[in-house]
Amino acid sequence: MKLTLPLSALFLLFTINSFSQTIADLKLKPKEIPKGGYVASDGNICITPQACTFYNDIETYANIVGTVKSKAIQSFKNKADRGSIMYFEFEHVFKGDRFLQGLLWGKDGQPTDEHPEEYIAKGKFLIIWSFKPDSPIREKSEAKIEALLP
């Protein structure tokens, strides 16, 4: 009995913490940007136009994916790498997996060399990485997102 109360309190604290994330928490901080000459860039520098069209016109897709509460974008570039990370927080759980897969990847249904974007949808959050698969920025961001949104 003594052990049950502390464990359940710890679980409740973890649960509350994992659902109280904000987009600001998910974004890469300057100290988290990998070495290699990366600089932040204004606007979007998506690998393909589909990802940025989704970001720019998200309200158009609200009936399919849900209503967006907030969104943000981070873009980075160096001599060998460039791209954008798009963050979305929805009013309710993101519900547009099939639609987004078709929009980003077409009939392939998964990333390709031509359309390398990947995304993760966890609860109310959706993050899209528009970088090449071997991008250090993408790897760093994915690891952070996985840790914060289990």
Side-chain angles (χ1 to χ4, degrees):
M1 183 79 174
K2 285 183 176 182
L3 219 62
T4 308
L5 183 59
L7 284 177
S8 59
L10 186 61
F11 177 75
L12 181 62
L13 181 62
F14 174 74
T15 304
I16 291 169
N17 187 38
S18 68
F19 290 108
S20 64
Q21 301 296 337
T22 66
I23 286 179
D25 298 326
L26 303 177
K27 291 171 75 174
L28 288 176
K29 310 291 186 261
K31 66 181 180 181
E32 297 171 320
I33 297 170
K35 305 238 183 289
Y38 282 100
V39 293
S41 180
D42 290 334
N44 59 55
I45 47 176
C46 297
I47 301 294
T48 64
Q50 292 86 348
C52 280
T53 297
F54 182 76
Y55 180 82
N56 292 332
D57 298 333
I58 188 69
E59 293 79 15
T60 302
Y61 308 112
N63 288 341
I64 302 167
V65 300
T67 303
V68 172
K69 182 176 174 182
S70 61
K71 68 180 185 175
I73 191 167
Q74 285 186 298
S75 297
F76 301 95
K77 60 184 175 181
N78 71 6
K79 287 182 180 179
D81 190 21
R82 57 183 277 135
S84 296
I85 307 167
M86 291 153 272
Y87 306 87
F88 303 89
E89 181 179 6
F90 290 84
E91 293 287 335
H92 303 285
V93 173
F94 173 72
K95 61 181 183 176
D97 272 317
R98 293 258 190 215
F99 171 77
L100 188 57
Q101 290 167 7
L103 179 70
L104 294 178
W105 308 317
K107 62 181 168 101
D108 292 321
Q110 61 186 2
T112 63
D113 289 342
E114 189 177 331
H115 297 278
E117 283 82 8
E118 287 198 35
Y119 74 91
I120 187 168
K122 296 271 187 150
K124 295 180 180 184
F125 291 99
L126 168 68
I127 296 87
I128 300 173
W129 293 277
S130 186
F131 282 90
K132 294 190 174 162
D134 59 350
S135 168
I137 287 275
R138 176 176 169 168
E139 291 170 4
K140 185 72 170 183
S141 175
E142 285 178 346
K144 180 175 183 172
I145 299 300
E146 287 288 343
L148 291 175
L149 298 176

